[in-house]
Structures are given as structure tokens and as C-alpha cells.
Amino acid sequence: MRIPTAFSYGGLGLRPVVNGLGPVTRLGGLPLSDTVIEAMRWAVATNVRMDELQEAVGIELARLLDVPAAYVTSGASAGLTLAAAVCAVGGDSRGVDELPVTGTRSRVIVQMAHRDPYDHAVTAVGLRLTEIGYPYSTRPHELARELDGTVAAVLHRLGGNGDVLPLRTVAELSHAAGVPVIVDAADYVPPVSRLRQLMDDGADLVAVSGGKSFRGPQASGVLCGRADLIRDVALHHLDMDLREATWQPSDITGLWPTGGREGIGRGMKVGREQIIGLLVAVCEHVAEPDRWVSHHATELAACERALTACDALRVTRAHNAFLDVATLAIDFSATLLDADEVARQLDRGTPRIQLGEQDAWRNVLVVNPLGLAAGEGAQIGERIVGVVRAASDGT
Ligand SMILES: *Cc1c(COP(=O)(O)O)cnc(C)c1O
């Protein structure tokens, strides 16, 4: 094979996607800024000791995010796995080596309303989930009676429907029993103020995606929280196959992270470029949190304008509360097509378009502007009108 000089996805036979869906992993996340890409370029030019890099960047991130300590992971999901490992065995070297065989602390408590497919992230280290409460309610005693010496952590998510226990109550009960609380805030932060609130409410460890609204590398995330817990994350994550006779303490912290070797998080390694890319993306976000707001508004407005060409489409403004972004909801009930068929046609067409399908069961597709380039909002609107018109012309 010839080594490509000018790379394009088309050259590999791939059809690029107009991303009207947002920061989703199955489409590869969001575009990176030139500043982030440039930082990733210099990061890979030189080697460093990865423990020192993690420590130095962790200090910077903790300052930027106003949290006690931080550690760069390969995503929020990996952050949950590392958090679970630390809560199960801490920094005990035998514990690090023996996972996923856990010691006495072998359970994670989760409210039934907070169950999620990402629960695999915590069960992957050998912990069993204990569900408490019901799909729409949890009572304090249902948590309190589980909190014994077999519990490694409580896993908490945001936005559980109904009368569920808020983080503050979960943290009070858990801390009284000496159990830490892990929060999955993958798509809930930024805004950074929410992270501050989670810490104030008593979160011990919070896992956040780097590749969602922070616009960092897709395979990055940050685990934030208590300094003692964050310090032990490295033991489960870094490649520490080193010789004590020659390894020197860290220049950054003086720590000497020997104890385990390749821990259970080793398969979730993070490259220099992800670590530096995430740091720069977080810097950019903190410096100018509203940088993308007007771009998003322009693209949504252009999409909405194009959709007015078709009377049968009912278009309403909506808001994604997790990602904190305005969206467009397009209802196809009055057209000849259902939302599933529109989604299939948008995927087969040119340009290939993907939209949010979370409400497709009620005939609605959602346009999320986070991944749109200039002009793509209008393109999406025009394509949808074309698909709906073609169906009515065909009858
Ligand atoms: C996206 C998401 C994750 C996974 O985040 P990654 O950074 O892709 O690993 C975990 N939990 C929730 C609730 C999410 O939305």
C-alpha cells in the first residue's frame, strides 16, 4: 500500500458523517480546536515519565476545575472503573495485583433509578452491584441498611427520575458508614460550576468525559475528587513495571508509585497527546466557556429556517439538560414517514447525516448543534425537507 500523503476518509471508502447528534462515541466525538491539535502535536514529540506527567497535569486540572485533585483517564467510563478499583482495594499492592478478585469490600450500591449500561465500568473490576429502591423512588433506610463492611462504594448518577435520593443525602449516609461515593458526571460537566456543586454535595470521586462538552480528545476524561483516592489511581492505571533499584521519586511530588505492576486499568492507558490535549481543551473552556454558543445558535436557526419550507414538519425548540445546549425537536407525525425511516434515509443519503434518535419512538428526531460545522445546520434542514417531499411526491 502506498503511504497516503493527503489523507481523506473518502480514500478509505468511508462516507463522512454530518454530526447532528452531538458528542457521541459511535461517531467519534466532536472536532478538536486547532489549539488542542497543535498541543497534541508537540506532546508526542518528546518522551516524559508518565507518572510525572499525570501528576503535573493533575495539579493544573485541579486548579482549573477547582477540585482537590484530578487524574486524566481514557474517558469517563475508564474513570468509573479506576474509581471502583481504588474504592475496592485502595493502594494496597496485593489488592492492586489481585483485582478483579476483590477482598471484603466487594459490593457497589446503586439506586435502581440510576442503573445505566455504563454500570459495566464498575462491575469490570470484580465488584457486584446491589440495587436499592425502585425505578421511581428510593428511601434513605434502603441505602442505610446496605452500608456495611462489604461495600466498596456507592455509585450515583444525575437526573434519576422521581423521588430518588439526592447526592447530599447519599453522601451523608455513606460517609457516616465510611463508604465513598462515586459520581458518574460524564455528560453533566461542563458547566464547571456543576462539578463544584457535586463536590460540595459530598462526592468523593467524580468521573467526567473529556470528549463531550469539554471538546478534548475523544479518548480522554478526568477523574476528580479526594486527593488520597486520586493518588492511588495511578497504581491501578500506570505501567509500573519498574525496578526499585533504579527508579527515582517523582520530580513533581516526590512520590514513588511502586506496589502493583500493570494493574487492572492498564488496558485503559492514556497517551501523552490525550493528556496534553485534554489539559489544553479544559484551559480553552475555562477561559471562554461561551465560545461556541453563538455558533450553535446560528446553525440551529439555519436548520429551523430550512425546515419551514415543509408545513408538515412540526419543529420545536428543546434543551438538552445534561449537555446544557439548545436543540431542535422535529416531529414527523404529520408526514408520510416515521422518524425511523427518515433516520435511515438520512444515513443512506449524501451527505450522510446522523441525528438524535432518543425520541424516535414518538416520531421525533433531535438536532444537537455541538458537532456541526458552519453551514451544516442548513444542510440538515434542506435534506430533511427533501426526504419528506420525496415521500409525498411518490404517492
Ligand atoms: C458518555 C457517558 C459515559 C462514558 O463516557 P466516556 O468518556 O465516553 O467514557 C458514562 N456515563 C454516562 C452517563 C455517559 O453519558
Side-chain angles (χ1 to χ4, degrees), residues 25 75-77 116 118 184 186-187 209 212:
T25 298
S77 190
D116 184 294
Y118 291 105
D184 178 356
D187 55 351
S209 285
K212 289 181 177 168

Side-chain angles (χ1 to χ4, degrees), residues 49 51-53 55-56 247-257:
R49 244 176 69 170
D51 59 325
E52 292 181 349
L53 177 62
E55 289 167 1
W247 192 257
Q248 302 296 314
S250 155
D251 282 353
I252 305 296
T253 57
L255 286 176
W256 198 347

Side-chain angles (χ1 to χ4, degrees), residues 6-322:
F7 187 80
S8 83
Y9 282 126
L12 288 171
L14 297 167
R15 293 188 297 130
V17 175
V18 170
N19 178 4
L21 176 47
V24 297
T25 298
R26 68 178 182 275
L27 298 182
L30 301 176
L32 301 178
S33 77
D34 289 343
T35 317
V36 169
I37 293 168
E38 194 45 46
M40 292 172 80
R41 192 191 301 277
W42 68 250
V44 286
T46 313
N47 282 107
V48 283
R49 244 176 69 170
M50 295 302 285
D51 59 325
E52 292 181 349
L53 177 62
Q54 278 282 6
E55 289 167 1
V57 170
I59 290 167
E60 288 296 314
L61 285 171
R63 195 177 51 75
L64 286 163
L65 299 174
D66 191 20
V67 290
Y71 187 95
V72 181
T73 65
S74 57
S77 190
L80 294 173
T81 303
L82 294 168
V86 165
C87 291
V89 299
D92 171 62
S93 85
R94 182 191 298 274
V96 171
D97 282 340
E98 289 184 350
L99 286 180
V101 175
T102 54
T104 36
R105 280 177 289 167
S106 59
R107 295 195 297 147
V108 169
I109 312 297
V110 63
Q111 299 185 60
M112 195 183 278
H114 288 179
R115 288 297 312 272
D116 184 294
Y118 291 105
D119 290 345
H120 279 119
V122 297
T123 55
V125 302
L127 297 169
R128 278 181 303 110
L129 283 179
T130 301
E131 282 181 354
I132 57 168
Y134 291 87
Y136 294 99
S137 77
T138 317
R139 301 284 180 247
H141 70 270
E142 291 163 344
L143 172 59
R145 71 187 180 205
E146 295 294 340
L147 293 167
D148 58 23
T150 68
V151 177
V154 177
L155 174 63
H156 190 86
R157 288 201 170 83
L158 292 314
N161 287 326
D163 188 13
V164 298
L165 301 181
L167 177 57
R168 197 173 276 275
T169 307
V170 169
E172 275 166 14
L173 291 169
S174 303
H175 293 165
V179 172
V181 179
I182 301 170
V183 177
D184 178 356
D187 55 351
Y188 185 73
V189 175
V192 174
S193 57
R194 288 179 173 174
L195 182 56
R196 189 62 256 165
Q197 186 64 51
L198 295 173
M199 297 305 301
D200 286 349
D201 284 349
D204 295 278
L205 288 169
V206 182
V208 176
S209 285
K212 289 181 177 168
S213 298
F214 272 130
R215 294 180 175 269
Q218 166 63 188
S220 74
V222 58
L223 184 63
C224 308
R226 261 169 54 191
D228 58 325
L229 296 174
I230 292 289
R231 193 195 55 229
D232 288 339
V233 170
L235 297 170
H236 295 270
H237 183 242
L238 294 178
D239 189 319
M240 280 297 151
D241 191 11
L242 49 84
R243 295 192 71 245
E244 298 208 16
T246 55
W247 192 257
Q248 302 296 314
S250 155
D251 282 353
I252 305 296
T253 57
L255 286 176
W256 198 347
T258 54
R261 293 206 192 187
E262 284 86 2
I264 200 151
R266 172 61 178 76
M268 299 159 210
K269 70 179 176 184
V270 193
R272 287 163 288 160
E273 66 277 24
Q274 271 82 43
I275 295 174
I276 292 298
L278 176 71
L279 174 63
V280 172
V282 171
C283 279
E284 283 196 302
H285 175 87
V286 169
E288 205 182 341
D290 294 334
R291 178 169 173 209
W292 293 91
V293 170
S294 71
H295 168 71
H296 296 152
T298 304
E299 292 308 311
L300 271 198
C303 184
E304 196 170 23
R305 220 168 19 252
L307 291 167
T308 57
C310 180
D311 290 338
L313 293 169
R314 276 185 247 132
V315 182
T316 47
R317 288 280 173 154
H319 187 256
N320 183 318
F322 276 93

Side-chain angles (χ1 to χ4, degrees), residues 20-22 26 328 343 354-360 364-368:
L21 176 47
R26 68 178 182 275
L328 278 188
Q354 294 264 339
L355 302 181
E357 296 177 12
Q358 64 270 31
D359 294 324
V364 169
L365 294 177
V366 176
V367 182
N368 176 319

